[in-house]
Amino acid sequence: MSTTTETTYAPAAETLGTVLAPGVKPPRPSAWSASITFGWRAMLKIKHVPEQLFDVTAFPLMMTLMFTYLFGGALAGSPTKYLQFLLPGIMVTSVVMITMYTGVEVNKDIEKGVFDRFRTLPIWRPSTMVGYLLGDVLRYTLASTVILAVGLVLGYRPPGGVAGSVAGILVLLGFSFAFSWVWTMFGLLLRSEKSVMGVSMLVLFPLTFLSNVYVHPSTMPGWLQIFVNANPITHVVASVRSLMAGAPDGAELMWVLVSALVLIAVFGTLTMRLYNRK
């Protein structure tokens, strides 16, 4: 009996000895692998708390219906006609508004002490933040899909077809990923999630409402047009509209690309400095 036991467990003992041998360390995960792992963590949090999807389903639906039927008749003569102009803008507004939850989730993990554990892991430092943002891309995709689906039911018909709609959503997702770095910085900088939400709304409301989402800037006073035309949301909406209309605007697309790179360079750097000092 003892001989059999020794024979059975000998290979296991040898393997264990090899794994635990002094000086032998498991390979360090790559930057991409670590980022994907943290992104999967963010998705699992949604799985276990599905109420988090309320802001990417009910909120976009409410915004689309409310503005279409509230202003459609007054601004364009009919809700369906106004929807052709409104829907790309509402899509941008809804997705940009929910980017603030990235900072809220970061702040929650800090308060719970989870970040203390992350900082001790032998991984690429930015992977924690990149993981948050990769997970949130799923939320942005869901919000965009919900709005487009509702718009199609209400009568929206994108001249650019499927290709133009997909391209518009991809541009929006890219900009939202870059814009989310602003909120990761605030999530690390501010002391509570309420503070993060308060600051986020203070920034987001002027950016989304003082833009070309609801009406054309030419209908506004001259002094207001200066702000609206410089507003990054205006350029994102113009880019998405042009793609969904089947007539891509190269200048607007370039503006969005450059602004996204600047956001990542500036706020990504600030975020990592705060993270390393936290």
Side-chain angles (χ1 to χ4, degrees):
M1 183 69 178
S2 59
T3 304
T4 303
T5 304
E6 290 176 2
T7 304
T8 303
Y9 289 100
E14 291 177 3
T15 303
L16 184 61
T18 302
V19 172
L20 300 180
V24 178
K25 297 181 180 180
R28 181 172 179 171
S30 65
W32 175 249
S33 174
S35 299
I36 289 296
T37 300
F38 281 108
W40 181 246
R41 171 180 177 267
M43 294 174 64
L44 287 177
K45 291 173 71 175
I46 296 176
K47 174 185 176 182
H48 293 295
V49 188
E51 294 84 2
Q52 294 184 35
L53 294 179
F54 179 82
D55 59 325
V56 301
T57 53
F59 178 72
L61 176 62
M62 179 184 68
M63 290 281 286
T64 305
L65 293 173
M66 182 174 66
F67 283 100
T68 298
Y69 290 103
L70 185 62
F71 299 119
L75 297 177
S78 72
T80 303
K81 187 176 180 181
Y82 182 54
L83 186 63
Q84 311 308 311
F85 174 84
L86 175 69
L87 190 128
I90 280 291
M91 183 184 294
V92 173
T93 295
S94 299
V95 174
V96 169
M97 289 287 284
I98 63 177
T99 58
M100 68 176 179
Y101 290 106
T102 303
V104 172
E105 290 300 318
V106 169
N107 192 272
K108 282 183 180 180
D109 278 347
I110 292 174
E111 291 297 317
K112 294 177 181 178
V114 178
F115 261 41
D116 293 336
R117 173 56 179 160
F118 290 164
R119 286 165 56 85
T120 64
L121 298 176
I123 55 175
W124 183 54
R125 275 297 178 89
S127 63
T128 308
M129 296 299 171
V130 174
Y132 278 111
L133 302 181
L134 290 177
D136 282 340
V137 167
L138 172 64
R139 298 160 63 90
Y140 306 154
T141 304
L142 287 175
S144 302
T145 304
V146 167
I147 294 174
L148 182 58
V150 171
L152 292 173
V153 171
L154 296 179
Y156 176 71
R157 297 296 179 265
V162 175
S165 299
V166 172
I169 290 174
L170 290 176
V171 168
L172 175 57
L173 295 180
F175 178 82
S176 299
F177 176 86
F179 194 59
S180 296
W181 283 102
V182 177
W183 312 126
T184 59
M185 183 196 71
F186 281 117
L188 291 167
L189 186 63
L190 301 178
R191 297 183 180 181
S192 67
E193 60 182 279
K194 291 182 178 179
S195 300
V196 176
M197 293 188 69
V199 172
S200 301
M201 297 304 290
L202 187 64
V203 174
L204 288 171
F205 263 98
L207 286 178
T208 53
F209 280 92
L210 299 180
S211 66
N212 62 345
V213 171
Y214 307 102
V215 296
H216 196 276
S218 61
T219 64
M220 304 175 188
W223 58 269
L224 184 56
Q225 290 185 36
I226 296 174
F227 176 84
V228 171
N229 291 328
N231 185 349
I233 302 302
T234 296
H235 296 281
V236 178
V237 172
S239 298
V240 175
R241 272 200 185 117
S242 69
L243 288 168
M244 298 182 76
D249 189 326
E252 293 290 359
L253 289 169
M254 182 59 66
W255 198 101
V256 172
L257 175 61
V258 172
S259 63
L261 293 176
V262 170
L263 285 170
I264 294 174
V266 174
F267 290 98
T269 301
L270 292 175
T271 294
M272 292 316 303
R273 286 186 178 181
L274 289 171
Y275 176 68
N276 290 330
R277 296 176 182 178
K278 197 70 179 178

